């Protein structure tokens, strides 16, 4: 018994209990970047001399500094600054202090006192100037700190007496940028220490340095005063006399700044009266300033002449006789003050002298005029624009032409007087000057009518070899008025010569003659028998309709006939047949005519011309009603809903063809509804209620539909301009639906858990991106697909991939159509390839392995940044595709929202047995870069945050936005 008990005791005490092993939690390592301030301190301590310290500082300046480390680095720099004796090292430290103060997120208020304290002990002028520059940076970074700004102004005022020009320059710059603009300008304050109520009289302090001995300081003082004006301070008129004296300064920088100052004062006080020196006469300040700036057109520095010419163009309040004096080198009589006979007799009587009779006519009135004392305008200012247009520097000539344009647009009488001078500039030897002169004459064409001699000079430019010059002149002739029928005949003959010499100008010449005929119908009427070679008794041969010159004549005559109902009576029978042909083939050049007794030729343009602005309003109403009708699609069955969408898309496309003003909005709505139709077809009942092997064909169709929706959404976003944030959010919403459809189809057709997990995580990131990008638009997306997903976001983040796919499938099929709201104006980016036309049957022959140049001429409408986005694609018959990026210089901008592309594309291929066609089209490149996903990790189906996929890269692609043109080419084998 005892043995049994002993055995039981041993069993109890020797019982082995297995404790489950608990793994110790893994220790997390925290990686921290070394402190920038500590590293800098170590480097500066290692420096044995000032050269080493300067090298360390230069190396440190190339490295970025985090916002939280800036204050520590500044403390280390200031500590070393106090110890350093070398000026170059202290200068570099002062420069670094200014750079660090610009760091985003850093408040430099904490270092103002330290930087100001360093000024008191600094002996080097260069370091002082750099420290003042640092204070200027700090002051501009603290727009709210009025006390700090006032303190910095005090510091600048104290240092203005420094002997070094750089210190005075920085002090004046600091006063101009930080001075209190609400402080009044005092007339009685004296010296740089003057103050009003404790506030420095900054303008008066600055004006005291207009007469500084150093020209750089005088320039800085003028620029500081201009800076005060830009910040909102109204400069007082008392400095006008000082500014005028500085116009004759020895240094061009001073004169340039003085021109700007005189102009500012003339705009602030145009009607103020100022005296003429050495006389009793007074004139308006703006007239006096205009005369003084006109005198600067003859300055010795071409940069001052350019600025003076540009400044004159903006002085629109000047009196007409002062304005006209700039076109005549001789002083006009109305700008010369003469004394009346009564004033001369009064002066003679006051002197007590009478005629003795010994000399013949000794009491006759004498006109002794001193041009320096009695002229209302300086003699050097006479003919200022004549001097500017004849200047040796083409920059001055361009500035003078532009100034003439600005003044002529506001004064029709001045536009007529300066017409001869502008026409003469068409013969300038510099192409840029000739082109600018043509553009200027185009802008003032509403005020002028060209005489025959002037038109002859203008038309001589058509011989120019530059295509830009010729096309600019064609544009000028479109809007120019001529005086006689001989002018019309002269213009037509020269344009036909131009067409014969440069056949590539065909479309530009035709367009020019279209406007020339529509503007001068009465002048074209007497020329019709001669132009059409008609005879009252005899039949004349029918001209060739393939002749571009004959088409040009018909375009001129038909556009004149639109406003002249008697002209069609002069047409022969073949002219009416040619009209019907051109009305169909060149409807943009030939207008609809009402021809009595003949069948009317109707087209879209005739419909538009018969309708007024009410037609546009009714079209807008129809567009809105179509969108409202589509919004009720949720109440219809699937077949009826699809039919409604098809009919609405057809109506919108037709509306875009009829109303060009609404073409962009109608195409945008049609494309959006097409996306909804594709989505509706992809979500049909039979596709989702059957197993995947039983509906492979439908699955492929749905996959293609999802891809097409994605492509259409990129077109909606990047092919249309004028979209607001709400429309962009709607487009992104459709794109998110397409990506959800792709994810569901991937889960059904492709087995594999890894691919599904990465796809699900990427889709959840895109939902978060959408929420961040369009947070303000979410209230407009209620009950939409994305709204339901955001409500289920906590569940989506934690569920399994298969469950997420089921939720997406259900949500997609339950979500309805999101109604589209249109902004005021939507424009579609379009491109029309003018050359090559694709009509030629003669192939371009070249040796295989070499290249042939193909000229491309295209017009672009409503394309933003075409230099970066427009590309040319060449598609060969064997499937090869080449994409060429034109040079920025190949783009011109003839008008607002219009660009012209004139470039060359080089084609090359191996030898072919027979000619074949290549397709040429224009592409619009886009880059859709989503905002980066949030960095907060989500423990989804992966074990760690490291396995989350990176942010999606930018989606780049191209959109064809022109009709393809086919060109015959024939690469032939090389001769051996």
């Amino acid at each position: 018994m005892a043995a049994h008990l002993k055995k039981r005791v041993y069993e109890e005490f020797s019982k082995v209990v297995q404790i489950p092993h608990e793994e110790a939690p893994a220790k997390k390592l925290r990686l921290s970047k070394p402190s920038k301030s500590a590293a800098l301190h170590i480097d500066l301590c290692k420096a044995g001399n000032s050269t080493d310290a300067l090298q360390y500082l230069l190396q440190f300046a190339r490295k970025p500094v985090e916002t939280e480390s800036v204050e520590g680095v500044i403390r280390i720099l200031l500590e070393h600054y106090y110890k350093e004796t070398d000026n170059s090292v202290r200068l570099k430290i002062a420069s670094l202090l200014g750079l660090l103060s610009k760091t985003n997120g850093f408040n430099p208020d904490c270092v103002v006192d330290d930087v100001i304290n360093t000024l008191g002990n600094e002996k080097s002028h260069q370091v002082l100037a750099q420290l003042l520059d640092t204070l200027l940076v700090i002051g501009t970074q603290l727009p709210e700190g009025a006390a700090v700004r006032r303190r910095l102004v005090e510091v600048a005022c104290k240092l203005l007496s420094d002997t070094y020009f750089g210190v005075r320059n920085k002090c004046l710059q600091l006063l101009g940028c930080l001075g209190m603009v609400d402080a009044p300008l005092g007339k009685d304050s004296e010296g740089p220490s003057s103050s009003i109520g404790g506030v420095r009289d900054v303008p008066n302090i600055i004006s005291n340095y207009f007469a500084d001995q150093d020209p750089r300081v005088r320039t800085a003082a003028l620029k500081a005063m201009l800076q005060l004006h830009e910040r909102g301070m109204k400069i007082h008129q008392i400095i006008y006399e000082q500014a005028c004296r500085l116009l004759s300064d020895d240094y061009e920088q001073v004169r340039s700044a003085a021109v700007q100052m005189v102009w500012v004062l003339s705009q602030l006080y145009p009607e103020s009266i100022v005296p003429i020196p050495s006389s009793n006469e007074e004139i308006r300040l703006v007239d006096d300033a205009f005369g003084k700036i006109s005198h600067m057109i003859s300055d010795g520095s071409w940069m001052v002449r350019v600025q003076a010419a540009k400044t004159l163009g903006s002085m629109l309040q000047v009196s007409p006789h002062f304005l006209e004096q700039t076109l005549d080198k001789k002083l006009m009589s109305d700008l010369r003050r003469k004394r009346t006979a009564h004033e001369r007799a009064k002066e003679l009587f006051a002197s007590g002298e009478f005629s003795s009779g010994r000399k013949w006519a000794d009491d006759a009135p004498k006109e002794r005029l001193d041009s320096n004392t009695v002229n209302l305008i300086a003699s050097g200012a006479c003919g200022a624009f004549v001097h500017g247009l004849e200047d040796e520097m083409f920059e001055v000539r361009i500035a003078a032409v532009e100034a003439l344009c600005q003044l002529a647009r506001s004064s029709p009488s001045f536009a007529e007087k300066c017409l001869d001078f502008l026409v003469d500039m068409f013969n300038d030897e510099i192409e840029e000057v000739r082109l600018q002169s043509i553009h200027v004459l185009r802008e003032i064409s509403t005020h002028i009518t060209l005489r025959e001699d002037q038109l002859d000079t203008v038309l001589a430019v058509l011989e120019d070899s530059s295509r830009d010059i010729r096309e600019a002149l064609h544009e000028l002739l479109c809007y120019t008025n001529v005086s006689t029928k001989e002018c019309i005949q002269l213009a037509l003959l020269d344009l036909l010569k131009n067409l014969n010499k440069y056949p590539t100008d065909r479309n530009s010449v035709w367009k020019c003659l279209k406007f020339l005929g529509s503007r001068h119908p009465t002048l074209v009427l007497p020329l019709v028998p001669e132009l059409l070679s008609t005879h009252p008794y005899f039949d004349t041969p029918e001209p060739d309709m393939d002749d571009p010159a004959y088409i040009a004549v018909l375009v001129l005559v038909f556009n004149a006939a639109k406003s002249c109902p008697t002209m069609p009576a002069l047409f022969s029978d073949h002219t009416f047949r040619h009209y019907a042909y051109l009305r169909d083939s060149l409807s943009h050049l030939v207008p609809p005519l009402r021809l009595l007794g003949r069948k009317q030729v109707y087209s879209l343009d005739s419909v538009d011309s018969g309708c007024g602005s009410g037609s546009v309003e009714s079209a807008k109403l129809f567009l809105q009603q179509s969108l409202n009708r589509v919004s009720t699609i949720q109440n219809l069955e699937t077949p009826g809903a699809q039919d409604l969408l098809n009919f609405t898309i057809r109506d919108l496309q037709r509306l875009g063809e009829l109303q060009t003003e609404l073409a962009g909005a109608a195409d945008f709505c049609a494309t959006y509804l097409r996306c909804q139709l594709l989505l509706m077809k992809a979500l049909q009942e039979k596709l989702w209620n059957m197993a995947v092997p039983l509906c492979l064909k439908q699955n492929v169709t749905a996959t293609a539909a999802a891809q097409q929706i994605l492509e259409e959404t990129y077109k909606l976003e990047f092919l249309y301009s004028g979209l607001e944030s709400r429309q962009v959010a709607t487009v992104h919403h459709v794109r998110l639906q397409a990506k959800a459809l792709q994810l569901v189809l991937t889960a059904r057709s492709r087995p594999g858990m890894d691919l599904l997990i990465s796809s699900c995580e990427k889709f959840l990131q895109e939902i978060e991106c959408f929420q961040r990008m369009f947070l303000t638009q979410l209230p407009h997306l209620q009950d939409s697909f994305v709204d339901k997903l955001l409500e289920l976001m906590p569940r989506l983040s934690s569920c399994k991939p298969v469950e997420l796919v089921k939720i997406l499938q259900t949500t997609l099929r339950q979500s309805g159509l999101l109604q589209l709201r249109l902004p005021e104006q939507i424009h579609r980016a379009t491109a029309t390839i003018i050359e090559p036309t694709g009509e030629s049957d003669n192939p371009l022959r070249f040796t295989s392995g070499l290249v042939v140049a193909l000229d491309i001429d295209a017009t672009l409408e409503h394309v933003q940044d075409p230099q970066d986005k427009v590309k040319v694609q060449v598609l060969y018959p064997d499937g090869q595709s080449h994409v060429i990026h034109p040079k920025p210089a190949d783009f011109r901008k003839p008008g607002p929202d219009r660009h012209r592309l004139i470039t060359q594309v080089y084609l090359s291929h191996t030898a072919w047995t027979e000619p074949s066609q290549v397709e040429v089209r224009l592409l619009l490149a886009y880059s859709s870069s989503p905002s980066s996903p949030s960095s907060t990790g989500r423990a989804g189906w992966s074990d760690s945050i490291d396995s989350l996929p990176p942010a999606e890269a930018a989606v780049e692609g191209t959109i064809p936005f022109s009709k393809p043109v086919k060109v015959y080419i024939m690469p032939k084998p090389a001769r051996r």
Side-chain angles (χ1 to χ4, degrees):
M1 186 66 180
H4 180 66
L5 289 173
K6 187 176 182 181
K7 184 178 180 181
R8 288 182 61 190
V9 170
Y10 279 130
E11 286 178 356
E12 290 178 4
F13 281 99
S14 62
K15 186 176 181 180
V16 178
V17 179
Q18 187 172 2
I19 301 175
H21 178 68
E22 295 182 1
E23 294 183 0
K27 294 183 178 179
K28 295 181 179 179
L29 295 177
R30 180 182 178 187
L31 300 178
S32 60
K33 296 181 180 179
S35 172
K36 294 279 185 180
S37 57
L40 178 63
H41 180 66
I42 293 172
D43 289 340
L44 292 177
C45 290
K46 288 191 301 183
N49 51 35
S50 59
T51 304
D52 294 340
L54 188 59
Q55 289 297 326
Y56 286 129
L57 290 173
L58 290 172
Q59 294 174 8
F60 177 78
R62 301 188 189 102
K63 302 174 183 177
V65 181
E66 295 80 9
T67 305
E68 58 271 12
S69 305
V70 171
E71 188 171 356
V73 171
I74 289 179
R75 296 299 172 196
I76 296 297
L77 290 173
L78 287 171
E79 181 181 346
H80 191 76
Y81 178 90
Y82 293 126
K83 299 177 184 177
E84 186 59 49
T85 56
D86 189 83
N87 290 342
S88 58
V89 178
R90 295 204 309 277
L91 183 66
K92 185 59 184 176
I93 291 176
S95 173
L96 284 175
L97 292 176
L99 290 174
L100 291 170
S101 300
K102 295 180 182 178
T103 307
N104 290 331
F106 173 69
N107 186 9
D109 195 8
C110 56
V111 298
V112 174
D113 294 334
D114 297 304
V115 178
I116 292 177
N117 291 335
T118 58
L119 293 170
N121 301 324
E122 185 55 59
K123 303 300 181 184
S124 170
H125 297 292
Q126 288 87 352
V127 179
L128 266 178
Q130 187 59 55
L131 287 172
L132 285 169
D133 188 68
T134 300
L135 287 176
L136 175 60
V137 171
I138 293 174
T140 53
Q141 295 291 321
L142 299 172
E144 304 281 331
V148 174
R149 288 184 166 223
R150 194 175 297 112
R151 189 177 176 191
L152 295 179
V153 168
E154 291 290 337
V155 170
C157 292
K158 291 179 182 177
L159 293 175
L160 269 174
S161 57
D162 195 277
T163 57
Y164 181 57
F165 79 93
V167 176
R168 301 202 297 277
N169 277 1
K170 290 298 178 183
C171 289
L172 291 169
Q173 188 178 354
L174 194 146
L175 289 175
C177 294
L178 304 180
M180 306 300 288
V181 296
D182 53 351
L185 179 65
K187 299 182 181 180
D188 302 327
S189 45
E190 298 177 359
S193 61
S194 61
S195 62
I196 300 175
V199 178
R200 291 281 181 175
D201 184 7
V202 175
N204 192 39
I205 295 172
I206 294 175
S207 63
N208 288 331
Y209 286 85
F210 285 175
D212 193 273
Q213 60 181 357
D214 195 295
R216 292 163 290 193
V217 178
R218 297 198 292 272
T219 306
L222 287 168
K223 290 183 177 179
M225 192 70 80
L226 292 171
Q227 182 71 24
L228 286 178
H229 168 70
E230 291 176 3
R231 291 176 52 215
M233 174 178 282
K234 190 173 182 180
I235 305 173
H236 204 281
Q237 186 184 339
I238 57 175
I239 66 171
Y240 175 72
E241 187 178 348
Q242 292 176 282
C244 291
R245 283 199 299 266
L246 291 175
L247 290 174
S248 57
D249 198 275
D250 294 336
Y251 294 87
E252 66 174 273
Q253 293 88 354
V254 180
R255 298 197 301 273
S256 178
V259 167
Q260 190 68 18
M261 177 60 68
V262 170
W263 176 81
V264 167
L265 290 169
S266 71
Q267 303 302 306
L268 291 176
Y269 308 99
E271 301 299 329
S272 297
I273 302 300
V274 294
I276 297 177
S278 306
S279 74
N280 297 326
E281 297 298 321
E282 294 180 339
I283 59 174
R284 298 163 64 226
L285 189 146
V286 65
D287 293 336
D288 187 59
F290 185 82
K292 287 181 166 55
I293 296 177
S294 298
H295 185 68
M296 301 305 293
I297 295 280
S298 305
D299 193 86
S301 169
W302 70 270
M303 297 181 68
V304 176
R305 299 200 297 271
V306 168
Q307 185 175 8
K310 289 181 177 179
T311 306
L312 287 178
S314 58
M315 301 182 72
L316 305 179
Q317 298 170 309
V318 68
S319 301
H321 51 279
F322 278 87
L323 198 59
E324 294 163 6
Q325 179 63 69
T326 58
L327 299 176
D328 193 349
K329 292 184 179 180
K330 294 182 180 179
L331 187 63
M332 295 181 181
S333 59
D334 56 353
L335 290 180
R336 182 182 293 160
R337 175 68 173 93
K338 301 185 182 71
R339 291 181 299 168
T340 62
H342 178 72
E343 290 174 340
R344 291 195 299 270
K346 183 179 179 181
E347 182 182 356
L348 185 63
F349 178 78
S351 63
E353 296 180 4
F354 294 92
S355 173
S356 62
R358 294 181 180 179
K359 293 183 180 180
W360 174 255
D362 59 349
D363 59 345
K366 298 178 182 179
E367 185 180 357
R368 300 186 63 184
L369 300 170
D370 186 355
S371 61
N372 294 326
T373 58
V374 203
N375 292 347
L376 301 185
I377 186 172
S379 58
C382 299
F385 282 124
V386 179
H387 291 296
L389 295 175
E390 296 173 350
D391 198 276
E392 60 180 350
M393 304 297 293
F394 79 93
E395 294 91 349
V396 181
R397 301 200 296 273
I398 290 178
V401 167
E402 292 174 349
L404 276 176
C405 172
Q406 295 178 22
L407 294 171
R409 278 187 300 185
S410 61
S411 174
S413 61
F414 184 70
E416 294 178 2
K417 290 181 172 61
C418 70
L419 178 58
D420 286 326
F421 298 95
L422 288 175
V423 170
D424 286 341
M425 296 307 293
F426 285 15
N427 299 320
D428 196 275
E429 66 270 16
I430 302 297
E431 178 182 339
E432 190 176 349
V433 179
R434 299 198 300 271
L435 190 60
Q436 189 62 33
S437 303
I438 295 172
H439 289 324
V440 164
L441 205 58
R442 156 74 181 87
E443 292 186 31
I444 64 173
S445 58
T446 55
H447 300 313
I448 58 175
T449 299
L450 288 178
R451 301 190 308 269
E452 189 171 350
D453 59 318
Q454 294 170 337
L455 183 64
D456 197 14
T457 306
V458 169
L459 293 174
V461 184
L462 290 174
E463 302 286 335
D464 201 297
S465 59
S466 170
R467 184 170 185 165
D468 292 338
I469 294 285
R470 298 197 306 272
E471 291 188 352
L473 191 65
H474 297 158
E475 189 80 12
L476 167 64
L477 291 175
C478 288
Y479 300 97
T480 302
N481 299 316
V482 296
S483 52
T484 61
K485 66 182 180 66
E486 285 76 14
C487 293
I488 293 289
Q489 197 166 16
L490 181 64
L492 177 62
L493 291 176
D494 280 347
L495 285 170
L496 293 180
K497 289 179 184 177
N498 174 29
L499 188 61
N500 184 40
K501 187 175 182 179
Y502 300 103
T504 55
D505 291 352
R506 181 180 64 180
N507 290 283
S508 183
V509 170
W510 288 351
K511 177 188 172 185
C512 173
L513 289 170
K514 170 190 173 182
F515 284 93
L516 201 62
S518 61
R519 293 178 71 90
H520 306 90
T522 56
L523 299 181
V524 175
L525 179 61
L527 298 174
V528 169
E530 181 182 353
L531 295 178
L532 298 181
S533 301
T534 58
H535 194 276
Y537 307 117
F538 303 107
D539 286 338
T540 54
E542 181 176 349
D544 184 11
M545 275 303 296
D546 292 331
D547 184 10
Y550 177 61
I551 294 177
V553 173
L554 290 182
V555 168
L556 173 72
V557 172
F558 290 152
N559 280 278
K562 184 179 180 181
S563 304
C564 187
T566 61
M567 193 179 295
L570 302 174
F571 295 170
S572 57
D573 290 338
H574 63 259
T575 306
F576 290 107
R577 293 198 305 271
H578 295 170
Y579 166 74
Y581 171 75
L582 291 179
R583 183 72 189 121
D584 288 336
S585 59
L586 298 174
S587 58
H588 62 289
L589 294 175
V590 179
L593 301 179
R594 295 187 177 275
L595 306 176
L596 297 178
R598 295 190 176 265
K599 185 178 179 180
Q600 296 295 317
V601 180
Y602 291 106
S603 71
L604 296 179
D605 294 337
S606 61
V607 175
D608 291 342
S609 62
C611 304
S613 59
S615 175
V616 178
E617 294 299 327
S618 61
K620 286 183 179 179
L621 181 61
F622 175 78
L623 178 61
Q624 192 60 48
Q625 288 175 347
S626 299
L627 294 178
N628 295 337
R629 186 167 55 248
V630 170
S631 63
T632 62
I633 203 172
Q634 300 172 0
N635 304 326
L636 301 176
E637 297 293 334
T638 302
Q642 292 183 7
D643 291 341
L644 177 60
L645 283 176
N646 277 318
F647 293 146
T648 307
I649 292 171
R650 183 199 62 188
D651 293 343
L652 292 177
Q653 289 174 342
R654 180 61 177 163
L655 178 65
E657 296 172 359
L658 292 174
Q659 287 291 345
T660 55
E661 295 89 348
L662 297 178
D667 290 344
F668 182 83
C669 296
T671 307
Y672 174 75
L673 295 180
R674 193 179 301 114
C675 292
Q676 298 294 337
L677 180 61
L678 290 170
L679 190 63
M680 186 178 296
K681 289 181 178 179
L683 295 174
Q684 290 178 1
E685 289 283 343
K686 59 181 180 180
L687 173 63
W688 307 101
N689 294 335
M690 292 191 298
V692 176
L694 299 178
C695 57
L696 289 178
K697 184 178 180 181
Q698 291 85 347
N699 206 55
V700 171
T701 305
T703 305
Q707 184 60 35
Q708 187 177 352
I709 292 172
L710 282 179
E711 294 174 359
E712 295 290 342
T713 57
Y714 287 119
K715 288 182 182 179
L716 287 172
E717 184 176 1
F718 298 104
L719 203 57
Y720 296 87
S721 59
L723 299 182
E724 298 174 356
S725 180
R726 184 167 181 178
Q727 287 78 44
V728 178
T730 306
V731 172
H732 277 256
H733 179 268
V734 178
R735 188 178 303 161
L736 201 62
Q737 287 178 300
K739 290 182 178 180
L741 179 60
Q742 282 185 332
L743 177 58
V744 174
L745 293 172
T746 301
R748 287 169 57 88
S749 58
R750 295 184 185 177
M753 207 61 182
D754 294 337
L755 177 62
L756 184 58
I757 288 175
S758 62
S759 301
C760 290
E761 289 179 343
K762 187 181 295 185
F763 183 75
L764 289 178
Q765 287 184 354
E766 288 175 353
I767 295 176
E768 289 187 353
C769 289
F770 184 92
Q771 185 180 10
R772 281 195 306 275
M773 290 171 62
F774 304 106
L775 188 61
T776 57
Q777 301 299 325
L778 290 179
H780 303 297
L781 303 176
Q782 292 181 355
D783 298 329
S784 63
F785 172 71
V786 72
D787 187 46
K788 295 177 181 177
L789 289 185
L790 291 175
E791 292 178 359
L792 299 172
M793 198 62 187
R795 181 181 172 189
L796 297 177
S797 302
S798 58
C799 67
K800 294 181 179 180
V802 178
E803 186 180 354
L804 182 137
V805 170
K806 291 180 180 179
I807 295 174
L808 285 181
Q809 179 179 335
T810 306
T811 310
L812 266 176
R813 298 182 62 187
Q814 291 178 353
S815 58
L817 174 69
L818 186 61
Q819 189 172 3
L820 184 65
R821 297 284 184 183
L822 285 180
E824 290 296 326
Q825 194 72 34
I826 294 180
H827 296 289
R828 178 190 169 107
T830 57
T832 305
I833 298 178
I834 303 173
E835 293 288 341
T837 58
E839 299 171 353
S840 175
D841 294 332
N842 297 324
L844 291 173
R845 301 181 183 273
F846 62 97
T847 304
S848 62
L850 300 181
V851 296
V852 62
L854 179 65
D855 292 324
I856 302 291
D857 184 2
T859 57
L860 313 175
E861 301 278 348
H862 305 291
V863 180
Q864 300 175 354
D865 300 328
Q867 293 86 352
D868 300 327
K869 296 180 180 179
V870 175
K871 302 178 186 295
V872 181
Q873 183 189 42
V874 180
L875 189 62
Y876 292 92
D878 58 355
Q880 292 187 35
S881 176
H882 293 171
V883 177
I884 299 97
H885 195 167
K887 302 190 296 287
D890 294 338
F891 292 91
R892 282 86 167 167
K893 188 174 183 181
D897 295 327
R898 288 179 55 210
H899 290 84
R900 184 84 176 273
L901 173 62
I902 302 176
T903 186
Q904 280 189 332
V905 172
Y906 296 101
L907 309 178
S908 180
H909 211 278
T910 56
W912 295 354
T913 56
E914 60 182 16
S916 189
Q917 291 179 333
V918 296
E919 284 191 359
V920 180
R921 71 179 69 190
L922 295 183
L923 305 178
L924 188 69
Y926 66 86
S927 176
S928 176
S929 54
S931 57
S932 57
S934 59
S935 58
T936 56
R938 205 177 38 250
W941 311 284
S942 306
D943 294 330
S944 65
I945 189 67
D946 297 331
S947 61
L948 279 176
E952 183 184 355
V955 178
E956 297 183 352
T958 54
I959 303 171
F961 73 119
S962 74
K963 293 181 179 179
V965 175
K966 294 183 179 181
V967 181
Y968 264 111
I969 65 171
M970 176 58 188
K972 54 187 179 181
R975 295 180 181 178
R976 299 189 182 278

